[in-house]
Amino acid sequence: MTHPPQATEATWHKTACILCENNCGVQIQTDGRRFAKIRGDKDHVLTNGYTCNKALRLDHYQNGAERLTTPLRREADGSFTPLDWDTAIREIAARLKAVRDTHGGESIFYYGGAGQGNHLGGAYNGALMRALGARYSSNALAQEKLGEAWVDAHLTGGHTAGEFEHAEVSMFIGKNPWQTHGVPRARTVLKEIAKDPTRTMIVMDPVRTETADLADVHLQVKPGTDAWCLAGILGVLVQEDLIDHAFLEAHTVQAEEVLPHLKSVNVARCAEVSGLDEDLLRTTARRIAAASSVSTYEDLGVQQGPNSTLISYLIKLIWLLTGNFAKPGAMQPHSWSAPLARYTTRIRRTPVTGARMLGGVVPCNVIAEEILTDHPKRFRAMLIESSNPAHSLADSAAFREALAALDLVVVIDIAMTETGRLADYVLPASSQFEKWEATFFNFEFPRNSFHLRAPVLDPLPGTLPEPEIHARLVRELGVVPNIHLAVLRTAARLGRTPFKLAFAALAAVDKKVLGMAPYLLYETLGPTLPDGARSAAVLWALAQRIGREYPQAMRRAGHTNADALFDAMLAGRSGITFTQDEYEDAWRYVAHPGHRIPLPIPELLGLLDALDKTASVHTTEEFPFVLAAGQRRAFTANAIFRDNTWRKRDPDGALRINPHDAEQLGLTDGARAQITTGRGTAQATVEVDGRMQPGHAALPNGFGLDLPTADGTTERTGVALNTLTDLRWRDPIAGTPWHKHVPARIEALRD
């Protein structure tokens, strides 16, 4: 097995940033196990050398945390006992089997399997879950994107993304790409839009963000009123007949069922509720209608607040009614290397509370409720991978109580997290730079890209990559016949074609083979791959799927067949283009009869009609502020940075409040304030910020971790946001939390 060199002299390695969905290509110069220098990879297929300041601090991920190097078992007194891997795997498998045999496999719940750049492990957990008969899972996307995905399933049938590099009008709703990116080469693209007098940038955000500074139009809505603003824009489009009738006639169905709802919208009332001048709302709608192309991006600012699923629908109606789909600069569907969600309108329900599982995923805000009950179908065990839900999910106190009520909790992670401290077993994973890894955030059109990242370093001794951990558990469970493995191993030695034929034959005679495919590929094809790329074996199956679903686009991208694509994935250190579409191909992705888009979603039209009677204010006399719990800033990132020293600014995670509020509360820069909500209390340093509206406050993401100190204790810096959030505040359709809209009280702390 070939490993990357452990440098005695400076060596550069191509890889990618892991801090947001763009996964910008970077090069890392190593010095031993340290990341001495980091720079953008100019050869990267998508980002072409671009990177932000956060990627340059990745050594604080790789070497900042106190790494786990041995499996741990928690004892009755709360202490942890180190175990060897064989013992840990044997004990965990036995306890999982006991839960399965006593309560059924569906009582075993899986959480995680992703992270911003940690997706290959997630591709292998499915085989383990099928081996156990587990049926329920969740992940971070269930805190954000389920409502949008459900709306997409009704409309285009799949995910859509904006083509901002070429859009005449770019609209960002609850999104600050200057800090959160999401758009490839975000800051470069934003500056290009801002300096072009023929293009327009529209930002809808209660905060005057860095992106709003560049915008031509800032719709600075009152917190939580985005639905009224969007309804007002749609009302203008329909009432002034600014819609694209030819597009609707050619490419949609049942528009006549939607337009009357919008024709009756009270635009003046919408402007009043959202705190905007009516003329601004009207001129914004007219600019959108007049544009040759419009792209939109909605994100957590609205997806983690009131009316989030309705908002997703209204945003998509704006670009559909104006014909901004499947043309340059507009909204596009795209191919997938592997879909991140199930785009289906079919609704499954959770076993205890009956909550809707949009996309087949359990909403995060119901997990504790599914456990803290005497219901016979409650979850009894959790396997938590590359995630920290005791810190990241709403209402930490409730979730911690739920973990304590389970029969078994197993955590797989690189460090001892807040969740790991509550687990029965903790298994040490290799870091994202110590193993083969990839992301399935492949959202581009017409050229879609994929990047398989080779290890920069050998695994830290004592750690294993997640695919190997899953494989060892499946082996211990003994659910795969040895004859299957023998046949496939023999075929793999003979070559890809014999392997493909043997795999197809096995799948034809045993229906369980496809469900266990990741494990089978890892054990049989994996050892034949070059440079120890065993974890990449699952990509062979994905390449076969791409070849079946997008054959012409795959060939346009330069791959003669699926095996050639797989070889390119293995070799492409700066990523590859895996499909190359043409704009007229976009309609083939619309998964509805005649490739036409059905516009009505009756339940959401009902919510639109009810806006006049819907509360737009959720604060009270007791809790008069709206707290945005999780603002993205220049020196905040997701909580895999378990090291506070990476920040050059805002080291304590300041509470930002408007100057008027600060004066009323007797607060100044650097003062200490107490924040109280219906679920908890926290203290923070104050930063007076005129970008915030009166009555609106914000705390940053990425703080509140309990990090180890030299004396063996832990220390917390900043606010753990979910000590303040409430799992009951959630979208009625998707169940997504209101992290960005938490009623709160703020008081000055006195000495």
Side-chain angles (χ1 to χ4, degrees), residues 244-257:
D244 188 335
H245 291 281
F247 177 90
L248 296 179
E249 178 68 24
H251 297 297
T252 73
V253 295
Q254 299 173 296
E256 69 280 0
E257 296 183 19

Side-chain angles (χ1 to χ4, degrees), residues 78 109 184-185 190 249 292 314 411 440 483 491 498 507 512 527 530 557 565 603 618 622 677 693 731 748:
F109 183 70
R185 304 185 308 114
L190 291 175
E249 178 68 24
S292 61
L314 299 180
V411 166
F440 300 136
I483 187 62
K512 295 180 180 179
L565 171 60
E603 184 174 6
H618 302 279
E622 182 181 8
T677 71
Q693 294 188 43
D731 185 74

Side-chain angles (χ1 to χ4, degrees), residues 63-135:
N63 294 302
E66 184 174 329
R67 292 284 300 280
L68 294 169
T69 57
T70 185
L72 300 172
R73 179 182 62 215
R74 188 159 60 99
E75 306 298 348
D77 63 359
S79 63
F80 283 93
T81 299
L83 302 173
D84 63 83
W85 272 103
D86 289 345
T87 301
I89 293 295
R90 184 171 61 252
E91 290 186 6
I92 291 169
R95 292 188 63 176
L96 286 169
K97 282 195 286 188
V99 173
R100 178 195 64 190
D101 295 345
T102 303
H103 303 290
E106 64 274 12
S107 69
I108 300 172
F109 183 70
Y110 177 84
Y111 188 89
Q116 294 289 11
N118 201 54
H119 289 182
L120 274 188
Y124 287 94
N125 75 72
L128 174 60
M129 293 298 100
R130 288 184 183 92
L132 292 164
R135 298 179 55 221

